């Protein structure tokens, strides 16, 4: 059971870093810091978009319009941290393991 819980926790940690990278990439793209004509940069951007957008889209639908500010990544980070804490404090002790 430890292996399963540790794998879920690791997957959530990796997704947190992907979400942060996606937010930073979108800022760099919006301010023309990175070259949008570079094929490698576009592939990274498409990967980050395709990995994060399916999870962020439902959150964006629920949030009110805040103008140009997108707080859906912050909401998703809070949800992920809640799930990780739930795993570590409520579910893992039931099976006698520590994450």
């Amino acid at each position: 059971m430890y292996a399963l819980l540790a794998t879920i926790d690791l997957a959530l940690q990796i997704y947190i870093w992907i979400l942060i990278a996606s937010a930073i990439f979108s800022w760099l793209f919006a301010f023309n810091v990175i070259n949008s004509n570079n094929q490698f940069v576009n592939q990274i951007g498409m990967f980050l978009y395709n990995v994060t957008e399916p999870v962020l889209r439902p959150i964006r639908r629920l949030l009110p319009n805040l103008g140009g500010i997108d707080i859906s990544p912050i909401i998703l980070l809070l949800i992920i941290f809640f799930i990780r804490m739930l795993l570590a404090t409520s579910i893992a002790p039931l099976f006698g393991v520590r994450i």
Side-chain angles (χ1 to χ4, degrees):
M1 188 48 97
Y2 172 74
L4 177 64
L5 293 176
T7 303
I8 292 171
D9 188 53
L10 179 63
L12 290 173
Q13 286 178 0
I14 291 170
Y15 198 77
I16 287 171
W17 287 108
I18 289 174
L19 191 62
I20 292 170
S22 177
I24 292 172
F25 185 87
S26 71
W27 295 336
L28 293 175
F29 189 80
F31 293 118
N32 284 332
V33 174
I34 55 176
N35 184 5
S36 61
N37 294 328
N38 187 339
Q39 184 179 1
F40 180 71
V41 172
N42 279 335
Q43 287 179 348
I44 291 174
M46 287 305 297
F47 169 76
L48 293 172
Y49 178 82
N50 289 334
V51 170
T52 58
E53 188 60 25
V55 181
L56 291 174
R57 189 178 303 123
I59 296 172
R60 286 189 185 117
R61 271 190 249 134
L62 295 174
L63 292 175
N65 187 6
L66 298 174
I69 300 172
D70 182 19
I71 62 168
S72 60
I74 296 170
I75 303 297
L76 182 58
L77 284 174
L78 290 173
I79 292 169
I80 291 173
F81 284 130
F82 174 77
I83 292 170
R84 289 186 67 213
M85 292 305 294
L86 184 69
L87 281 173
T89 60
S90 298
I91 296 173
L94 292 176
F95 298 103
V97 296
R98 277 186 80 167
I99 298 179

